[in-house]
């Protein structure tokens, strides 16, 4: 091995700068993450380090990397503390390729579960915790099924087009016979939702390569392909099945913000009689999505589902 290269790598093949770093591995409905506790903000990670750890063949393997740091130690966190001093902890989230992401709905649940497991917070069932993210302050409630996250208000990325045409983009992916209309939704991060008619069509869609989206939001977009159930509503709950290609990651078993965006789009297309409660089936399980009017008077989206820590270790 080249001596310069060997000096930069640990015995495991990961960057030597990561040697000795304690970590946990967790997931929410199959959307998996490597988590590290850095309360005092002294262990910043580089994009290359994140990508190496998240590599499924040479690293631990994950859809994303989460660093738990007190908000006071990050500029973004300090700004949020001015709004809500209760947001002691900040979820520093990175995609698997090392790029920074605003938000991850499954990741938030796993992040709070990790804080509890580390003894960094206490949260009894029914109690609520406030945390900081790059998509703003989020509140999480511990519930029977895991955690429920107030994801905040949703928005159309191109509201004029959405209002006029009920679509604002054209999306193509391998396996689709023709390009499809899409609707672009912001859940603090960007999504483009495409409705398909049949589960067989959803299964045939190839998501190894990123779908093409025209126009594409400035910072890229996550793309959800969704099949509404027939009938759409059972016992007052809307039913959807979804697959997703996440920017900077690829196809994942689940995407929390994507499930919210999918419910937003299908509910909008279904009209004013559509329900406020939704069950979204993803390859990794089922998450709940609920629409509610918050104290600020805006319509918020709540995401609920499980969170699991599956392993702990120390990078070599």
């Amino acid at each position: 091995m080249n001596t310069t290269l060997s000096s930069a790598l640990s015995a495991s093949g990961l960057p030597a700068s990561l040697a000795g770093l304690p970590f946990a591995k967790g997931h929410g409905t199959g959307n998996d993450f490597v988590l590290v506790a850095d309360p005092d903000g002294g262990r910043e990670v580089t994009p290359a380090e994140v990508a190496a750890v998240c590599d499924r063949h040479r690293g631990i393997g994950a859809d994303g990397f989460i660093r738990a740091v007190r908000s006071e130690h990050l500029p973004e966190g300090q700004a949020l503390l001015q709004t809500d001093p209760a947001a002691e902890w900040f979820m520093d989230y990175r995609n698997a390729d090392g790029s920074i992401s605003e938000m991850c709905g499954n990741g938030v649940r796993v992040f709070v579960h990790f804080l509890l497991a580390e003894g960094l917070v206490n949260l009894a069932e029914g109690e609520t915790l406030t945390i900081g993210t790059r998509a703003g302050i989020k509140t999480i409630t511990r519930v029977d099924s895991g955690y429920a996250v107030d994801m905040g208000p949703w928005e159309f990325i191109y509201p004029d087009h959405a209002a006029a045409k009920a679509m604002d983009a054209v999306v193509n992916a391998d396996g689709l016979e023709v390009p499809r209309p899409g609707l672009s939704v912001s859940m603090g991060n960007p999504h483009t939702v495409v409705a398909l008619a049949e589960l067989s069509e959803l299964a045939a869609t190839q998501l190894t390569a990123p779908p093409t989206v025209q126009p594409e939001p400035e910072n890229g977009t996550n793309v959800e392909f969704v099949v509404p159930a027939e009938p759409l509503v059972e016992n007052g709950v809307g039913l959807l099945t979804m697959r997703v290609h996440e920017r900077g990651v690829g196809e994942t078993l689940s995407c929390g913000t994507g499930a919210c965006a999918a419910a937003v789009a299908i509910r909008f297309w279904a009209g004013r009689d559509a329900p406020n409660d939704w069950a979204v089936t993803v390859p990794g399980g089922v998450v709940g999505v609920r629409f509610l009017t918050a104290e600020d008077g805006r319509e918020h989206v709540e995401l609920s589902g499980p969170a699991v820590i599956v392993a702990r270790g120390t990078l070599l």
Side-chain angles (χ1 to χ4, degrees):
M1 180 183 289
N2 179 286
T3 55
T4 302
L5 179 60
S6 66
S7 65
L9 297 177
S10 68
S12 66
L14 293 171
S17 55
L18 293 172
L21 182 67
F23 73 92
K25 176 74 180 286
H27 77 89
T29 52
N31 199 185
D32 60 339
F33 312 94
V34 171
L35 303 104
V36 299
D38 183 24
D40 298 325
R43 185 58 179 86
E44 178 63 90
V45 291
T46 68
E49 289 173 336
V50 170
V53 170
C54 292
D55 188 299
R56 295 196 180 276
H57 300 287
R58 298 179 178 87
I60 303 301
D63 294 325
F65 185 99
I66 300 175
R67 183 174 64 124
V69 57
R70 286 193 172 91
S71 296
E72 62 183 326
H73 298 297
L74 287 174
E76 304 98 313
Q78 293 167 10
L80 293 177
L81 287 171
Q82 301 301 312
T83 303
D84 191 338
E88 177 185 3
W89 290 96
F90 190 94
M91 184 181 81
D92 179 16
Y93 180 69
R94 315 296 175 97
N95 294 316
D97 65 356
S99 59
I100 291 176
S101 182
E102 303 90 344
M103 177 60 181
C104 176
N106 290 319
V108 170
R109 300 197 313 274
V110 178
F111 174 70
V112 172
H113 193 59
F114 176 67
L115 292 178
L116 279 166
E118 291 287 301
L120 297 172
V121 300
N122 295 306
L123 190 66
E125 188 172 316
E127 291 184 340
T128 296
L129 181 70
T130 302
I131 67 163
T133 76
R134 291 188 175 87
I137 288 171
K138 306 298 176 186
T139 57
I140 299 90
T141 304
R142 193 171 185 181
V143 296
D144 280 345
S145 60
Y147 302 89
V149 186
D150 182 347
M151 305 292 288
W154 63 270
E155 297 178 316
F156 288 127
I157 294 177
Y158 307 111
D160 292 342
H161 290 282
K165 300 180 179 180
M167 57 84 70
D168 52 35
V170 176
V171 180
N172 199 10
D174 293 341
L176 288 180
E177 293 183 0
V178 295
R180 304 302 171 88
L183 188 61
S184 303
V185 177
S186 173
M187 288 302 311
N189 58 354
H191 297 268
T192 303
V193 181
V194 177
L196 301 179
E198 303 288 344
L199 290 174
S200 59
E201 192 176 26
L202 181 65
T205 304
Q206 302 298 312
L207 297 181
T208 52
T212 59
V213 179
Q214 296 294 334
E216 185 177 64
E218 181 179 357
N219 296 316
T221 188
N222 306 287
V223 184
E224 288 77 31
F225 295 91
V226 186
V227 178
E230 181 58 48
L232 178 62
V233 181
E234 290 188 5
N235 299 318
V237 178
L239 305 176
L240 308 174
T241 300
M242 181 189 92
R243 290 174 62 199
V244 58
H245 186 284
E246 291 195 53
R247 57 179 180 160
V249 184
E251 184 175 10
T252 58
L253 293 181
S254 182
C255 177
T257 53
C260 294
V264 166
I266 299 299
R267 179 172 172 256
F268 175 72
W269 286 324
R272 62 182 60 188
D273 293 331
N276 289 327
D277 291 286
W278 296 79
V280 182
T281 299
V282 293
V286 179
V287 294
V289 176
R290 183 165 68 101
F291 295 87
L292 51 91
T293 301
E295 292 181 359
D296 61 9
R298 302 179 69 183
E299 186 172 71
H300 284 214
V301 185
E302 181 186 81
L303 174 72
S304 60
V308 182
I309 300 295
V310 299
R312 292 183 176 275
T314 301
L315 297 175
L316 301 177

